[in-house]
Amino acid sequence: MLIRNGRGLTENDVTPHEIYLRRREFMAAGLAAGLGLAGGAAAAPLAFRPSKWSTDEKRTKLEDITGYNNFYEFGVDKDDPAKNAGRLKTSPWTIQIEGECAKPGRYTLEDILKTAPLEERIYRLRCVEGWSMVIPWIGFPLAALIGRVQPTSKAKFVSFETLMRPDQMIGQRSPYLDWPYREGLRIDEAVNPLTIMAVGLYGQTLPNQNGAPIRLVVPWKYGFKSIKSVVKIRLQETQPKTTWQMLNAREYGFYSNVNPAVDHPRWSQANERRIGEFRRRETLLFNGYGDQVASMYRGMDLRKFY
Amino acid sequence: MDRKTRDRIVYWAVWLACFAPFVWLAAQAALGELGANPIERLIRQLGVWGLRLLIVGLAITPAARIFRQPRLIRFRRTIGLFAFAYVSAHLLTYVGVDQYFDLAAVWRDILKRPFITLGMLGFVLLIPLAVTSTNGMIRRLGPQAWRRLHWLIYAIVPLGVVHYYLLVKADHRPPLVYGAIVLALLGWRVVERLRSLRPS
């Protein structure tokens, strides 16, 4: 049987080899364009694969995830970020990576997105205020990004900083927190497979109020550790100062691991209200991620290192 | 319009103004418009309205004197009782809905968390004022003893402000605004008192 192939196709119809070789760049550029659009409120769909680390619990409604936020850069009330974050311009975006590493530098978001394939991580999020959600994040392991910049043996901690831009982040015009927002992790926590940099949720790019275009997610720690809209990552030898600890060290520790046995002075941490549920439920040690993270804290007094 | 009718209308206007936040909150609750965490919102709103009405109650005497409107005093009881109703609903929502009547947990909160300790103390002190708000009770106590008892409000309202201040995580400006108003209202009384003591 005669097989007719390529009716009238010529060599000119084939994608030029040099463009073919740059196909990954185009994909990354398209993705970045989508992330940029998120600043204008329109979310763009993301390509991702599932992850074995995802929970199968019922996911919190998108409108609750995007309408009930602690993002003090946009105001202190839970609905302030949804109201005020639309003004933030998230494109172009770069992250300055510096400190104890062989390849410091200013990395564009497009470049950072080439670090590793995106995965969906459906994680529990527990806020220090006693409420929780289940959020389908899209992101990649922070370990991949840290590996890329080749940390030196002195890199014992990682510190993070949020964008400082008071003209677009109206909360920063008031000094109730010491801006810019700062957070930190020990290096082993940072490269734990559960720790991700998220760029999306519910299959779409991050809405601004959730920390667009790129944020940290550390699911076994209280939510305030998962710093949003990150512009700086620093590898360092000493334990970094973090924003809430600087404000009130007695109430907010560096570790801030979810722990029902260690109360916050103002809230019991024994239980929590899952958003969308009526009755409170028991809070789990390490937010239920003990199998993956407890070994990092073996021998540590979690009351002292709260 | 005769004076009696006008008084009636003004009285009901005040009553409705005091009741309106209840209606508004109930309507929002019924329509599911209280946001992602409706219980937290409800507790916060009931508490804030309780505090606002307590402060309005505290403002009546100075307002009556400064604007020479002695008849304003007749609204004090209504406003005070509404404040008590909001504060009670605030507490009941925390105990009954938020904590689901886990009284052991509530008791631990009272012992352990200063903002709850002080809020609870404020509520307990409000009870005798609400109970003795009827004409019969005023008569039975005698005006002098009744007045002395109701001086408790000068402790209760600051307790409410401190309760609010202590629960705020970072932006303390709203409770400080309430605090400044309360300070001014109490300060006015101190000044008046000193003036009346000074031999003229």
Side-chain angles (χ1 to χ4, degrees), chain A residues 64 68 72 76 79 129 131 174 176-177 244 247 252 263-268 273 275 278-280, chain B residues 35-37 39-41 97-100 109 112-116 165-173:
Chain A
D64 289 342
Y68 188 78
Y72 278 25
V76 297
D79 49 0
E129 296 167 347
W131 52 266
S174 307
Y176 42 75
L177 291 182
W244 283 101
L247 183 81
Y252 308 97
D263 268 1
H264 181 279
R266 282 183 282 179
W267 305 287
S268 162
R273 174 162 293 108
I275 295 301
F278 182 69
R279 290 288 298 272
R280 286 176 167 271
Chain B
N37 199 344
I39 298 170
E40 176 198 58
R41 170 85 65 91
V97 186
D98 185 59
Q99 299 291 325
Y100 219 76
D109 272 352
K112 214 170 159 181
R113 311 190 195 290
F115 87 95
I116 295 183
Y165 180 90
L166 288 178
L167 73 85
V168 169
K169 277 165 63 187
D171 187 3
H172 289 102
R173 290 170 299 181

Side-chain angles (χ1 to χ4, degrees), chain A residues 186-293:
Chain A
R186 227 167 49 188
I187 189 79
D188 57 334
E189 299 176 322
V191 301
N192 185 287
L194 289 183
T195 305
I196 59 165
M197 295 303 291
V199 294
L201 61 85
Y202 265 112
Q204 310 263 315
T205 51
L206 280 179
N208 283 358
Q209 61 267 33
N210 293 91
I214 184 163
R215 63 169 294 168
L216 180 70
V217 175
V218 197
W220 71 93
K221 292 175 180 284
Y222 293 118
F224 66 88
K225 293 293 291 182
S226 294
I227 185 170
K228 304 183 181 83
S229 304
V230 172
V231 292
K232 193 188 269 186
I233 298 177
R234 185 179 171 80
L235 295 140
Q236 57 191 69
E237 196 167 13
T238 52
Q239 181 176 307
K241 289 237 180 296
T242 61
T243 295
W244 283 101
Q245 194 186 21
M246 289 189 292
L247 183 81
N248 193 337
R250 201 174 68 87
E251 298 190 8
Y252 308 97
F254 174 77
Y255 286 94
S256 290
N257 292 318
V258 175
N259 190 338
V262 178
D263 268 1
H264 181 279
R266 282 183 282 179
W267 305 287
S268 162
Q269 297 298 25
N271 52 44
E272 66 200 48
R273 174 162 293 108
R274 180 70 53 86
I275 295 301
E277 294 180 356
F278 182 69
R279 290 288 298 272
R280 286 176 167 271
R281 52 163 74 206
E282 304 266 295
T283 289
L284 305 172
L285 180 60
F286 299 119
N287 204 20
Y289 295 102
D291 287 350
Q292 289 81 41
V293 305

Side-chain angles (χ1 to χ4, degrees), chain A residues 69-228:
Chain A
N69 308 95
N70 277 325
F71 196 173
Y72 278 25
E73 280 79 347
F74 296 110
V76 297
D77 287 335
K78 295 288 189 296
D79 49 0
D80 284 341
K83 280 188 229 157
N84 301 327
R87 251 194 272 174
L88 176 66
K89 215 172 146 277
T90 56
S91 178
W93 194 273
T94 59
I95 299 184
Q96 176 79 30
I97 305 183
E98 56 184 39
E100 298 294 343
C101 62
K103 291 184 169 172
R106 188 177 284 279
Y107 291 78
T108 63
L109 183 62
E110 294 80 353
D111 188 15
I112 285 168
L113 285 164
K114 286 185 233 159
T115 305
L118 295 180
E119 296 170 33
E120 181 175 62
R121 299 280 183 107
I122 307 171
Y123 281 161
R124 293 177 288 277
L125 172 106
R126 169 62 154 80
C127 178
V128 71
E129 296 167 347
W131 52 266
S132 63
M133 294 184 177
V134 176
I135 305 181
W137 301 108
I138 310 292
F140 62 90
L142 175 59
L145 185 59
I146 289 179
R148 231 183 111 178
V149 300
Q150 299 171 10
T152 70
S153 59
K154 284 185 180 169
K156 303 268 184 0
F157 293 91
V158 188
S159 73
F160 304 84
E161 251 179 61
T162 294
L163 177 71
M164 176 77 184
R165 197 182 281 166
D167 58 321
Q168 292 174 10
M169 303 174 107
I170 57 166
Q172 290 179 334
R173 295 175 203 170
S174 307
Y176 42 75
L177 291 182
D178 187 359
W179 312 113
Y181 194 89
R182 274 157 276 191
E183 259 309 334
L185 296 172
R186 227 167 49 188
I187 189 79
D188 57 334
E189 299 176 322
V191 301
N192 185 287
L194 289 183
T195 305
I196 59 165
M197 295 303 291
V199 294
L201 61 85
Y202 265 112
Q204 310 263 315
T205 51
L206 280 179
N208 283 358
Q209 61 267 33
N210 293 91
I214 184 163
R215 63 169 294 168
L216 180 70
V217 175
V218 197
W220 71 93
K221 292 175 180 284
Y222 293 118
F224 66 88
K225 293 293 291 182
S226 294
I227 185 170
K228 304 183 181 83

Side-chain angles (χ1 to χ4, degrees), chain B residues 46-88:
Chain B
L46 289 167
V48 163
W49 280 107
L51 184 57
R52 283 177 186 159
L53 286 177
L54 283 171
I55 292 173
V56 172
L58 210 54
I60 292 214
T61 304
R65 295 274 282 280
I66 291 165
F67 302 114
R68 296 178 204 288
Q69 295 287 335
R71 301 189 65 252
L72 273 178
I73 301 292
R74 70 190 194 283
F75 298 123
R76 212 168 42 182
R77 171 161 58 191
T78 307
I79 291 168
L81 283 173
F82 263 108
F84 180 70
Y86 280 98
V87 172
S88 306

